[in-house]
Amino acid sequence: MLTNQGRHSSVLPLLIGFVGVGVGIVAGYLAGAKPLYLCLALVAIPVVILFFTRFEQAVLGLLILRSSLDVFSAQQIPAAFAIALDILTLVYVAIKLLTHQPIQTDWFWWFFAGWVMLQGIWPILCILGGLGLGAFTLLDNIREWTRLFSWLMVYLLVMQLRERLHPEKIISLLFISLIPPVILGLMQQLSSLLSDTDGVRIHGTFAHANNFVLYLLLFIALTCWKLRWAKQHWYWILLLGLLANLYVATGAVFGLVMLATFLLTSILPNLKLSNAIAGVIVIVVLAALFFSTDYGRERLNQIMQTPLLNSDIDISRAIVLSNSDFNSFNWRISQWHYLLQSWQNSPLFGYGLGTSNGFPNYYSLSPYPVPAHNDYVRALVEGGIVGLVTFIIFIGIQGIHLIKLFWRAPHESNQRDLCWSLLAVLLATTVGMLTDNIWSGTAFYFYWWTTYAIAGWNWNELQ
């Protein structure tokens, strides 16, 4: 009888052989049809080999690489990357099953998997004609479901590193992913200063400044966590200052609200007057830096001309003004109004995953062919009442899981501190979802699910 190692050694060469034949066929086609994709396929070959021979290094390398890919969104490189990662993960798990090797999971992964499978109801309903739009939206449904499935695969892939690498080492290596977006962000900031063009929002290697601010928020949280436990503090302080500078330069007002939420939440376990004062000072300084610019003052003036801060402007007037005053806050109110009007025609199951993005225009649910800029409205319009409930439950279970991990971790431990830091980020993003497209931040969620997965490991055993 073959041992587990023997089975693995007999299955792997056969698998590599099939992969080699497949790669040869695909390469022959791409050489004539898509030369760019051929180059990517040739790069993928050593990645696949490393994935099965140097698993830990390959996984970490792929995760680090993700922060640099959004700049190639027009070429659909991030989507191809996610699909390739899904396939690699499934093949790796299949090999482990065939060779009777254990697959690392936890209870939350199974809950996550069940939730993702539940989201598959909407593509099925689309095929059956049970949604508010026709079956021609099937591609949008499949695309969005595949994006959610890729997050599940990231979680599963990272779980396979348990008992191989310590969480602190993984998080430390993830900081390498900061290098390309930070360098490009600084170059964009310098270019703006040299050309004296105030109001230019930096975005690093990301498609939009709002996606960059999400990524920075998570790494500011991880930097603060490192700072509290590091023996030498100065380089973490320098990094925190650098990230805060870029964070303000993104020009995202909702980012300041999220950062304030994160800071106030993160100091609650060790609530002292000095900590509270320090947190408020940081928030005030960053807000002052932002609103001291012409762009910041313009955004502040726009906020003052909304129903939130101006009693003379009601929602109806804000909707009318949004067509002429170029106020993005009033425009958001108008966008939500039109989307909620559309939702009333399909209240239970909505219109399907990915349909609230407003593209293509021939089935736009709003006069504005852009995303909802409110993830709760998005969930309601796309999934109906059922979709919104499942969305809120999913976020709520994430928070409950982090709280349980926090209480279970040893007191005065870095694992306990990390769990609370992630809980603060989760709370900050749920606040940010009120006015922006947090759920669309694919790169952010790659790193979120990586840190979220390892927060639940037994750090004492790994130590």
Side-chain angles (χ1 to χ4, degrees), residues 146-176:
T146 303
R147 193 174 73 95
L148 301 178
F149 181 76
S150 69
W151 298 350
L152 179 67
M153 291 297 99
V154 169
Y155 195 110
L156 181 61
L157 191 61
V158 172
M159 286 299 296
Q160 307 319 303
L161 298 177
R162 188 167 66 179
E163 301 177 0
R164 298 188 182 200
L165 295 173
H166 195 277
E168 289 185 85
K169 182 176 182 180
I170 297 175
I171 294 176
S172 297
L173 290 172
L174 289 181
F175 277 89
I176 300 175

Side-chain angles (χ1 to χ4, degrees), residues 386-423:
V386 175
L388 177 62
V389 170
T390 60
F391 179 68
I392 293 175
I393 289 175
F394 183 60
I395 294 175
I397 295 298
Q398 288 182 59
I400 292 172
H401 182 48
L402 285 172
I403 292 173
K404 289 174 63 178
L405 292 175
F406 172 79
W407 289 115
R408 189 191 310 165
H411 287 274
E412 301 298 328
S413 66
N414 52 0
Q415 181 181 12
R416 183 183 176 97
D417 194 13
L418 176 66
C419 292
W420 192 266
S421 295
L422 293 179
L423 182 65

Side-chain angles (χ1 to χ4, degrees), residues 42-116:
L42 294 177
V43 172
I45 294 174
V47 173
V48 172
I49 295 173
L50 285 174
F51 194 84
F52 291 101
T53 57
R54 301 273 186 176
F55 179 73
E56 295 90 344
Q57 293 88 337
V59 171
L60 290 171
L62 290 172
L63 291 174
I64 291 169
L65 179 64
R66 182 59 186 85
S67 66
S68 305
L69 297 182
D70 277 7
V71 71
F72 302 107
S73 296
Q75 292 76 30
Q76 298 184 335
I77 300 301
F81 176 86
I83 293 173
L85 193 65
D86 294 347
I87 294 172
L88 282 173
T89 304
L90 292 173
V91 170
Y92 182 81
V93 170
I95 291 175
K96 297 199 78 172
L97 288 173
L98 289 172
T99 55
H100 302 283
Q101 298 180 67
I103 298 173
Q104 301 288 344
T105 59
D106 57 12
W107 78 265
F108 183 83
W109 184 86
W110 288 103
F111 168 77
F112 194 178
W115 184 84
V116 171

Side-chain angles (χ1 to χ4, degrees), residues 66 70 73 147 201-218 247 250 252 254 258 436-445:
R66 182 59 186 85
D70 277 7
S73 296
R147 193 174 73 95
R201 303 177 62 185
I202 68 167
H203 53 83
T205 55
F206 292 82
H208 195 277
N210 290 357
N211 295 334
F212 191 26
V213 91
L214 273 175
Y215 171 80
L216 289 173
L217 175 67
L218 178 59
Y247 196 92
T250 59
F254 87 98
M258 288 199 303
D436 218 88
N437 308 298
I438 305 297
W439 198 243
S440 301
T442 305
F444 161 77
Y445 280 105

